[in-house]
Amino acid sequence: MTALGDPPKPSIPVSRPVVGGRGSDASIPAPSKRYGVIEAIRAGAPSVPAVHPAIAAERPILRLDAFSLWYGKAQALHQIDMSVPAGRVTALIGPSGCGKSTLLRSVNRLNDLVDGVRVSGGMLLNGTDVYGLGVDVIDLRKRLGMVFQKPNPFPMSIFENVVYPLRIDGERRRSVLEESCERALRAAAIWDEVKDRLKESALGMSGGQQQRLCIARAVVADPEVLLLDEPCSALDPVATLKIEELIHEISSRYTVLIVTHNMQQAARVSDFTAFMYLGRLVEYGPTAHIFQTPRLPETEDYVTGRFG
């Protein structure tokens, strides 16, 4: 995934003792250096995120302009300005409750299902206003693949799980379904494991296999962006490694936006990383820079485990 001239993938950051609980404002220690952006965020004052120039050099597939979201009276996202580069893997990191999953779910409008949700600002997917009047949400979601924290195979055969998005879109030709199923399972690096079991129930697969099956189902319709919401959080280390290898493989064909709490995972799989805190963007740039030479001391302290 690293193009010529890009910084090398960062090494795994050195772990340091975590101070305080994840997701709590108390998780920030009394700093020996000033956390300018985070202190402004905690005070409710205006703050300017550190966005690296390399972001502007990329072609965006998703663009957010002053995007905000509320759950009733509680504001979860605040004036997010962000461009997601096409054909790259972008990781969203930050403490629990910082808005990572809310932002991810806003892209395919899953938050619409929550009572009292409202948004302001803009979000464009390849030029389409995601929240524009007259936008068909079903058609929008067909352009996006979504994989959740826990595998969610349907109670049907492996084959029917994979081709389900095509069936609900009206595809009935057996030859097309079979070809698409094999292509998606190969893309998800699971074809060799299940090619002789396609008629068996997907519920009999291991957790790691089920998650790769869900990825196959998410990519079978060739989405413009693949959204991954902590896809390895419920998996063992071996299954996690296979998912990370899979992300590397599919990133040559799809744009990937992934939420992760695992700093090492973000360093291993992503090209760009965005650090969020309390619903706001703090720093955003190439992953190698975020982990090795961040602009802000709060970013350095978060990715190295000093707080968070």
Side-chain angles (χ1 to χ4, degrees):
M1 273 302 296
T2 303
L4 186 63
D6 285 350
K9 288 286 187 180
S11 56
I12 296 175
V14 177
S15 296
R16 295 188 175 94
V18 176
V19 181
R22 179 176 290 279
S24 167
D25 286 352
S27 64
I28 299 182
S32 59
K33 44 193 169 185
R34 180 174 175 81
Y35 290 168
V37 174
I38 282 184
E39 287 178 357
I41 290 172
R42 296 178 72 190
S47 61
V48 178
V51 179
H52 296 227
I55 300 295
E58 297 285 328
R59 180 180 73 83
I61 192 170
L62 182 69
R63 186 187 299 275
L64 287 74
D65 295 308
F67 186 78
S68 298
L69 180 143
W70 290 259
Y71 293 117
K73 294 182 179 180
Q75 188 168 358
L77 296 175
H78 300 255
Q79 300 284 312
I80 303 291
D81 290 307
M82 181 178 178
S83 295
V84 176
R88 301 293 194 130
V89 179
T90 299
L92 302 177
I93 64 172
S96 293
C98 73
K100 305 183 300 294
S101 291
T102 294
L103 178 57
L104 190 81
R105 290 166 179 254
S106 297
V107 179
N108 65 355
R109 294 184 56 170
L110 281 183
N111 292 317
D112 289 9
L113 304 175
V114 181
D115 290 339
V117 165
R118 60 188 177 91
V119 302
S120 69
M123 181 183 293
L124 299 178
L125 174 65
N126 266 336
T128 299
D129 187 350
V130 171
Y131 286 87
L133 294 175
V135 169
D136 187 318
V137 178
I138 301 301
D139 286 340
L140 172 71
R141 289 174 182 158
K142 290 177 182 178
R143 299 168 59 185
L144 301 159
M146 181 81 186
V147 178
F148 298 92
Q149 294 182 22
K150 294 183 179 180
N152 60 338
F154 302 146
M156 54 182 65
S157 71
I158 294 172
F159 177 84
E160 291 298 336
N161 261 273
V162 177
V163 302
Y164 185 79
L166 302 180
R167 285 203 184 277
I168 64 173
D169 203 28
E171 183 58 67
R172 295 292 180 267
R173 291 171 293 176
R174 187 71 184 183
S175 60
V176 173
L177 295 176
E178 289 178 348
E179 178 183 348
S180 299
C181 178
E182 179 175 347
R183 184 181 67 249
L185 289 171
R186 287 188 182 279
I190 196 175
W191 169 253
D192 290 336
E193 298 174 42
V194 302
K195 62 183 179 182
D196 298 322
R197 303 167 48 198
L198 297 180
K199 294 182 180 180
E200 296 180 14
S201 172
L203 301 181
M205 306 171 74
S206 69
Q209 288 177 326
Q210 287 183 352
Q211 193 67 307
R212 283 182 285 154
L213 176 69
C214 292
I215 292 175
R217 188 174 64 202
V219 303
V220 71
D222 289 325
E224 295 171 43
V225 180
L226 182 60
L227 307 172
L228 305 178
D229 190 2
E230 296 190 65
C232 303
S233 64
L235 303 181
D236 60 54
V238 174
T240 294
L241 179 60
K242 289 184 178 180
I243 296 295
E244 291 181 0
E245 291 173 345
L246 173 57
I247 292 171
H248 277 298
E249 293 173 10
I250 65 177
S251 62
S252 63
R253 299 186 294 278
Y254 303 104
T255 299
V256 179
L257 185 60
I258 179 173
V259 167
T260 180
H261 271 120
N262 188 316
M263 295 301 98
Q264 290 88 348
Q265 183 174 85
R268 288 191 297 262
V269 306
S270 68
D271 301 295
F272 295 92
T273 297
F275 171 39
M276 297 180 65
Y277 184 76
L278 291 182
R280 296 169 175 85
L281 185 63
V282 176
E283 185 165 358
Y284 182 30
T287 296
H289 293 169
I290 294 296
F291 281 86
Q292 295 176 355
T293 56
R295 292 185 169 189
L296 301 177
E298 44 264 71
T299 304
E300 179 182 4
D301 286 354
Y302 182 76
V303 301
T304 54
R306 288 196 178 107
F307 78 86

